[in-house]
Amino acid sequence: MFLEIKDLSVKIENKKILNELNLNINKGEVHAIMGPNGSGKSTLANVLAGKEDYEIINGKINFKDNDLFDLNIEERAQEGMFLAFQYPVEIPGVNITPFLHSAINSKKKRMNEAEIDNLSFAKLLKSKASDLGISIDMLKRSVNTGFSGGEKKRYEILQMSILNPDLAILDETDSGLDIDALKIVTDGVNKLKTKDNSFLIITHYQKLLDYIQPDHVHIMVNGSIVKSGGSEIAAEIEKDGFQKFQ
Amino acid sequence: MNIQDNYLKNKKNIFFSQNKDVQNHREKLIDIFENDRFDKKNNESLKNINLKNFIDFKYKYLIPEETSVINNNQENSYSIVSVNGQCSSYKDDKIEITRILDEDYNDFSKNHTIEKNDHFVNLNSLFLNSGFKIVIKKNNNIKIKISNIITDDHLTIFQKNNYICEEGSSLNLIEEYENKNNSTSNILNVIKLDKNSQLNHFLIQDNSPNHNLIITSHSSCRKDSTYTQKVYNFSEGYVRNFHYSELIEANSEADLQGIFFLKDNNTSNNKTFVKHLAEDCKSNQVYKGILNDRSKATYFSNTHVDQVAQKTEGYQLSKGILLSDNASFFSKPELKIYADDVKCSHGSTIGPIDENAIFYLRSRGMSKIAATKILISSFINEELSSIDNEQMSEIIQKKLVRYLSKVK
Ligand SMILES: Nc1ncnc2c1ncn2[C@@H]1O[C@H](COP(=O)(O)OP(=O)(O)OP(=O)(O)O)[C@@H](O)[C@H]1O
Ligand SMILES: [Mg+2]
């Protein structure tokens, strides 16, 4: 199994957010999670990425034959986990080039691969940016600082395509994108997709799933997966909402 | 030993002790010390300080054997090595360097902007044993680099310097303070900018743990002149930077910036004070601090806008990053405005490094320590990238890397 989440319960500030959650993802699969606001989707994404504010009260997560809880935040990333944030944080004064360059090289180091030099990295960054319709000017700016909502989301996908993760978690990457941007971003995802990597896509809209075909769709309510199936579930939600699961 | 005995014992070594006016002034100062007439309430110069250590000191001064002024004609640049606060005389058609005179002393003692309750300033006047005066002549564009060297352990340097920028002149002044010998330097700079002149003043401070550096400066700007001061404090010993600026004629500008990098048990006290006394003047006071371990800092910033100073723009900002729970940074901005047509603002943000930013960077594969370092660098990125002197910016970068290497 590639990612195996077993009976995961998580608390924050004495409030239980995830409740005996189970989810399995195999290599090469695309999974989608839909669920009402506040059901715990971002919490799950953050717990996977290693955010430290949460109290894990029960459960196990296995990722690529590692106990995920044995890995710290950066080790998870270096092992191939990537989270495209719902709300990417603005970091004034930090430019994407040195930061992402150092990030990709720490991953290479862990994998015992050769590091990328400055020039090759600059080239790589430029070409990926142009694929995603991101201007050179934007690459010169500080990470996410003063970016529009849509620009931030594209920037997340740019980082994803550079780091080339084994498991990419996209937390509402489609929210805030105009229709053209949605096309560009989903093209980016589809280009990256191989039989060796997996995606976990959190979304509120069936539209996204028209562009990226999921193998499995899950409904999350009150911190648990209450129903799983194929794309037809997304259509059902679009039509009837979450009422009957609550 | 009490102050009076200390003074009398070393009098022969102290500048101007034969001058009547100076004597009168000093008698008053001694009275303040002896009878403890300091106003201790709200006295910014007393924060984080064990005053006794500085008043009860062992006076020691050595007259330097050799100092140097090197003129590099082509680039209009000069290198000065000031030894124990002294500098040899020099004169050409662009600049003139002399030792400080008693008339400069008396001129200073009549200045009312510098806090009279400041014991460091008073000690400086009382025990004055060194100092020089540099005049930049009309319409010249000059670069000066001063290395401030102290030759022996446990010296007590009391130094007054005068800088005079004549009309239309421009001075780029870099001062280096890098001393390793457990001495105390108490320096007072009096800076005068005539019409349409400019002074870019950089101070790089990097002393060892038992070296104390106390700098107080006073600048006054005439019409269309600009005084810019940038202080980079990497010292492992105590540093005090207090700077007073007076904008006395229209369309002049004062820009006071500082960055300090503290660690271990170190302390730094900082103050900037800008007095707007004429219309259409601008001022900026920006201090940033990075504090690790159990280090402590204070920063007081003040803008005073006189009622004639219409169309004033005054801006104050202080920012601090606390890298440890045991570090502390006390900041107090103050604005006193007596004119109605002014634009003034102040702000202060001090706190630990942004955990969300750390999480974001780590989630891309960057180690926690690398993320912390990149965020510290970004905190001062604006100030560092605005240094338009390549040599300076290299020096600062190197010291920053050294500071960051100790961040765990
Ligand atoms: N730091 C926190 N302190 C207290 N409660 C929190 C904290 N973080 C999240 N929560 C709560 O946890 C619940 C789940 O939040 P989460 O962000 O995971 O929801 P979500 O499913 O992603 O919602 P949305 O669709 O609106 O993005 C919410 O009720 C939220 O208020
Ligand atoms: Mg969410």
Side-chain angles (χ1 to χ4, degrees), chain A residues 74 81 85 135 236:
Chain A
E74 57 269 33
M81 173 105 60
F85 287 89
S135 68
E236 202 179 303

Side-chain angles (χ1 to χ4, degrees), chain A residues 46 49-52 72-74 77-78 82-83 85 89 91-94 99 102-103 106 143-144 156 159 163, chain B residues 319 354-371 374-379 381-382:
Chain A
N46 284 332
K51 193 159 195 204
E52 285 154 347
N72 68 25
I73 303 164
E74 57 269 33
Q78 291 160 7
F82 180 90
L83 169 58
F85 287 89
V89 46
I91 315 182
V94 174
F99 137 60
S102 131
S106 42
V143 172
N144 295 320
E156 293 292 285
Q159 296 179 46
L163 293 170
Chain B
K319 278 186 162 186
D354 179 0
E355 279 305 321
N356 286 324
I358 293 267
F359 176 54
Y360 188 89
L361 297 173
R362 291 178 76 188
S363 79
R364 282 8 180 178
M366 200 175 226
S367 70
K368 185 176 183 179
I369 182 84
I374 208 172
L375 289 173
I376 294 172
S377 302
S378 74
F379 174 69
N381 175 57
E382 207 181 316

Side-chain angles (χ1 to χ4, degrees), chain A residues 61-182:
Chain A
I61 305 177
N62 238 289
F63 174 56
K64 289 174 57 178
D65 298 325
N66 297 297
D67 179 340
L68 193 68
F69 298 138
D70 287 345
L71 305 178
N72 68 25
I73 303 164
E74 57 269 33
E75 288 166 338
R76 295 178 194 197
Q78 291 160 7
E79 280 292 326
M81 173 105 60
F82 180 90
L83 169 58
F85 287 89
Q86 182 175 5
Y87 305 111
V89 46
E90 303 198 357
I91 315 182
V94 174
N95 180 270
I96 192 171
T97 313
F99 137 60
L100 214 51
H101 189 191
S102 131
I104 196 169
N105 276 341
S106 42
K107 184 171 176 179
K108 298 267 179 203
K109 215 164 163 186
R110 188 176 175 96
M111 297 295 146
N112 285 320
E113 292 170 20
E115 295 192 359
I116 306 182
D117 62 70
N118 281 329
L119 198 67
S120 322
F121 181 75
K123 270 191 193 156
L124 176 71
L125 184 63
K126 256 186 209 165
S127 93
K128 297 283 184 193
S130 105
D131 287 349
L132 290 163
I134 293 173
S135 68
I136 304 289
D137 271 353
M138 220 165 99
L139 294 180
K140 289 185 190 143
R141 286 164 61 181
S142 295
V143 172
N144 295 320
T145 308
F147 288 9
S148 76
E151 283 169 345
K152 283 181 180 159
K153 297 302 174 73
R154 277 197 219 200
Y155 215 65
E156 293 292 285
I157 298 305
L158 170 64
Q159 296 179 46
M160 179 184 82
S161 58
I162 299 258
L163 293 170
N164 197 7
D166 296 328
L167 174 66
I169 305 158
L170 309 187
D171 191 357
E172 296 196 27
T173 302
D174 51 335
S175 303
L177 288 180
D178 64 44
I179 190 76
D180 296 333
L182 185 64

Side-chain angles (χ1 to χ4, degrees), chain B residues 380-392:
Chain B
I380 46 173
N381 175 57
E382 207 181 316
E383 285 72 25
L384 297 196
S385 59
S386 73
I387 301 174
D388 50 8
N389 178 319
E390 209 169 298
Q391 193 196 351
M392 268 280 300

